[in-house]
Amino acid sequence: MAAHFGRRLRKGAATTAVAAAAVAALSASQAPGVPIGGQDGRTSSGAATEPDEGTGDPGATGNSPYYTDLPPLNSPNPSPSASSGPVVQGAAEAGIPATVLDAYKKAEAALRSSRPGCHLPWQLLAAIGKVESGQARGGRVDADGTTTSPIIGPQLDGNGFALIKDTDDGRYDGNSAYDNAVGPMQFIPSTWAWAGRDGNDDGLEDPNNIYDAALAAGHYLCRFDWDLSDRADLRRAILSYNNSTEYLNTVLSWLEYYRKGTHEIPDGTGTLPGSRSDARSTNPTPSTPGAGPSAPDTRPSKPGTEPGGKGGGTKPPASPGTPGGPPSTTRPTPTDTVDRLENAGTGKLTATAGETFTERIRTRAETDEGEAVAKVRIRFTVLGDTDTVFTGGESAATVLTDGSGVAVAPPLRAGEKTGDVTVRATVVGRVVPGLAYRATVTERVADTVVRTGDEALTCTPGGEFAHRVEVLATRDGAAAGKVAATATLIAAADDTAVNDEGPYFKDADDKPVRTLSGLLTDADGRLRLPRLYADDTTGTFLLRVTTAGGATLTVELTVAAAGTASPEPTTGT
């Protein structure tokens, strides 16, 4: 049976006058529907696609209960930078279960690549995981990172919580009346619908899998271009997860604690904190190992609920995709009927680096009889080491199928890395083979390159050319920015071999160089070459500039003694 979190009750008086004042201030300034942090604050939404900044909502967890124990007084590695605020001794330790710790660190690495400006520390995920589920109930997870039984919070029926009616037809929380927070990072289903990620590459996005949940939490905390190395953005992000000053302070305490050191412990050996934000008794009902403290629910059971259930919802199912779970008590959903995914007419996917693909990926969900399945969430994920993303900067997007069973992915924007990119389509909440699409990113090119000046390029033997060569690359008449170019001193117009005498560039060691590769035009298509120098050889020499795409420009350089007439320069070919 799934371990249920105890039912959250309305909080009593705060333990101190200061805490009470803080909570009162928060309630006054951050009531439901008010963006966190005022005009510059941000919140999330339960929409199937990532919400716009400033949309009021109850946070990632629906403001569900959390563990309130603070770190031990003595940090694992005391340092002069330790917080000077009060720290309470609690039933906690620095050890983090091995699989859970690995999930946090992998999520940090993934975000470091996809959202480098966020500066997400894995210790923040560990701090949130600690207060949300006691590190997945002390690391009670299998080898793949899935909890040994689902972690289900209380139903969000407005009685001490936000009021969130069912959004997933009970798929994740087993409750077809109201939503419940789910998994070790306690996502409500409506938020998981757009924030969910596949963190262990098994083709599933399971909120009860610590790899999936940790990666989703990282993306959630990094949305809106927050920089978590900035204290103000860090506070906004944490408050968007659970809108409570006490929650914020508890998470920050664990973040500081874990930053000073931690260690890996075996899965299943971690201890759960002893205090919850929904506690109403100093002698809570004893709980089974790993189930967490709970308080009895004295309300009458609702139709379709488990007798005596602590969460008040229906009996929770096994984790999505896990065989052997209890039989479903809810009617089949559209997702249950999906048998396969098919390409819905997606053509060739090709774009130049930095540009948006004109073709969009289309996927059709079908039953085993080939019928279209509407209202199914399809997750599109850009795979591999690439900087190609969907518009908006995300590498994943969730889209609902329409009446014809087709989901159309957001436009893809090509990055600077050229080559093939794979985009995978999967069904959210159901195990069916994914569908892979190949997109190709080609290098930026120019079809014309010309000089921007007409000064004669002359120099005396052993001297330095007074003017530098500047060129403009264009494509179809428009500036061609970030186009690769090469500059070479060639032997003759019909001989592109490198000339070993005459004008030259200098390398970092001031040694002569007659070929420069890896040059790049700026955003306006312009390129200014380094200074040119001359050896003692006199005469007329040729400099050829070649861009990606095959555009070329040949420029004459003259080395002559002072007073010698110079021929007119060649403007290009």
Side-chain angles (χ1 to χ4, degrees):
M1 178 180 295
H4 286 260
F5 282 153
R7 203 175 152 63
R8 183 181 185 184
L9 305 175
R10 295 187 181 276
K11 293 184 180 179
T15 54
T16 66
V18 174
V23 173
L26 180 71
S27 299
S29 63
Q30 296 174 347
V34 179
I36 296 169
Q39 184 178 0
D40 296 328
R42 297 149 166 100
T43 57
S44 68
S45 160
T49 55
E50 183 170 329
D52 293 330
E53 178 179 350
T55 304
D57 84 308
T61 71
N63 293 337
S64 290
Y66 55 92
Y67 290 111
T68 59
D69 289 25
L70 293 175
L73 185 61
N74 297 319
S75 64
N77 293 305
S79 66
S81 63
S83 173
S84 58
V87 181
V88 179
Q89 179 72 38
E93 57 174 308
I96 299 177
T99 299
V100 177
L101 180 60
D102 183 57
Y104 296 149
K105 291 185 175 181
K106 284 189 175 180
E108 179 198 54
L111 269 297
R112 188 186 307 122
S113 174
S114 64
R115 305 293 288 270
C118 178
H119 301 109
L120 171 78
W122 66 261
Q123 291 92 341
L124 176 58
L125 297 176
I128 291 176
K130 182 71 174 181
V131 303
E132 292 295 349
S133 67
Q135 310 298 17
R137 297 180 308 215
R140 287 166 175 80
V141 297
D142 62 21
D144 295 324
T146 302
T147 57
T148 53
S149 59
I151 300 176
I152 311 292
Q155 72 176 8
L156 302 173
D157 57 5
N159 186 10
F161 309 102
L163 173 60
I164 304 178
K165 293 188 177 181
D166 176 63
T167 62
D168 67 332
D169 207 15
R171 171 160 298 276
Y172 293 115
D173 54 16
N175 189 342
S176 58
Y178 299 94
D179 270 351
N180 307 62
V182 181
M185 304 302 278
Q186 286 290 278
F187 278 99
I188 53 176
S190 56
T191 300
W192 183 259
W194 62 262
R197 294 292 191 276
D198 178 10
N200 60 349
D201 297 322
D202 64 352
L204 296 174
E205 291 163 354
D206 181 358
N208 275 296
N209 181 279
I210 186 59
Y211 288 100
D212 297 358
L215 184 58
H219 277 277
Y220 186 92
L221 294 164
C222 287
R223 70 203 193 286
F224 304 134
D225 294 326
W226 274 326
D227 178 0
L228 302 184
S229 65
D230 177 80
R231 189 72 173 180
D233 275 0
L234 174 65
R235 293 173 66 89
R236 293 187 185 103
I238 296 172
L239 280 171
S240 78
Y241 211 90
N242 190 314
N243 192 354
S244 161
T245 297
E246 291 181 3
Y247 181 88
L248 169 68
N249 292 335
T250 303
V251 170
L252 288 175
S253 294
W254 281 106
L255 171 61
E256 183 73 11
Y257 182 74
Y258 285 135
R259 275 177 166 164
K260 294 172 184 174
T262 186
H263 59 276
E264 179 181 298
I265 60 175
D267 290 343
T269 63
T271 59
L272 279 177
S275 300
R276 296 278 305 206
S277 61
D278 57 345
R280 59 176 170 180
S281 170
T282 56
N283 298 303
T285 302
S287 59
T288 57
S294 61
D297 185 1
T298 58
R299 297 189 311 161
S301 296
K302 294 183 179 181
T305 63
E306 179 187 356
K310 302 175 183 66
T314 58
K315 189 174 181 178
S319 299
T322 303
S328 174
T329 59
T330 60
R331 66 184 183 276
T333 66
T335 303
D336 295 327
T337 67
V338 177
D339 177 72
R340 60 182 176 269
L341 295 178
E342 297 289 347
N343 186 338
T346 306
K348 187 175 182 180
L349 297 167
T350 303
T352 301
E355 296 183 357
T356 299
F357 287 78
T358 56
E359 181 76 15
R360 293 171 66 176
I361 297 174
R362 298 172 176 268
T363 300
R364 174 181 162 95
E366 297 182 354
T367 67
D368 57 356
E369 297 178 349
E371 296 180 351
V373 185
K375 298 183 179 179
V376 172
R377 289 185 172 87
I378 305 298
R379 170 70 73 180
F380 297 95
T381 306
V382 182
L383 304 178
D385 181 18
T386 179
D387 53 355
T388 292
V389 293
F390 292 109
T391 51
E394 290 286 352
S395 60
T398 300
V399 180
L400 205 64
T401 57
D402 59 18
S404 61
V406 175
V408 182
L412 271 174
R413 188 178 71 234
E416 296 302 322
K417 294 182 180 180
T418 60
D420 290 336
V421 176
T422 298
V423 180
R424 185 179 65 193
T426 56
V427 180
V428 176
R430 182 165 175 80
V431 183
V432 297
L435 194 60
Y437 297 84
R438 188 178 74 174
T440 302
V441 180
T442 59
E443 66 178 346
R444 299 169 185 261
V445 298
D447 53 29
T448 304
V449 58
V450 297
R451 274 193 70 192
T452 58
D454 58 2
E455 305 91 351
L457 300 171
T458 62
C459 182
T460 57
E464 175 183 323
F465 284 81
H467 301 289
R468 294 169 65 175
V469 177
E470 297 186 21
V471 302
L472 171 66
T474 59
R475 177 186 175 191
D476 297 329
K482 299 183 180 180
V483 173
T486 301
T488 306
L489 281 305
I490 59 175
D494 57 355
D495 184 358
T496 58
V498 178
N499 197 341
D500 59 1
E501 60 182 9
Y504 60 88
F505 300 105
K506 287 184 178 181
D507 63 13
D509 297 322
D510 284 338
K511 294 182 179 179
V513 175
R514 292 185 167 87
T515 295
L516 293 178
S517 58
L519 303 173
L520 205 66
T521 62
D522 64 16
D524 297 321
R526 296 177 179 271
L527 172 63
R528 191 182 192 198
L529 298 181
R531 292 191 178 278
L532 280 162
Y533 303 86
D535 60 15
D536 294 333
T537 308
T538 59
T540 300
F541 302 89
L542 299 179
L543 169 67
R544 179 161 292 174
V545 179
T546 304
T547 69
T552 62
L553 168 70
T554 302
V555 181
E556 284 191 353
L557 308 172
T558 300
V559 180
T564 303
S566 302
E568 289 297 318
T570 299
T571 58
T573 60

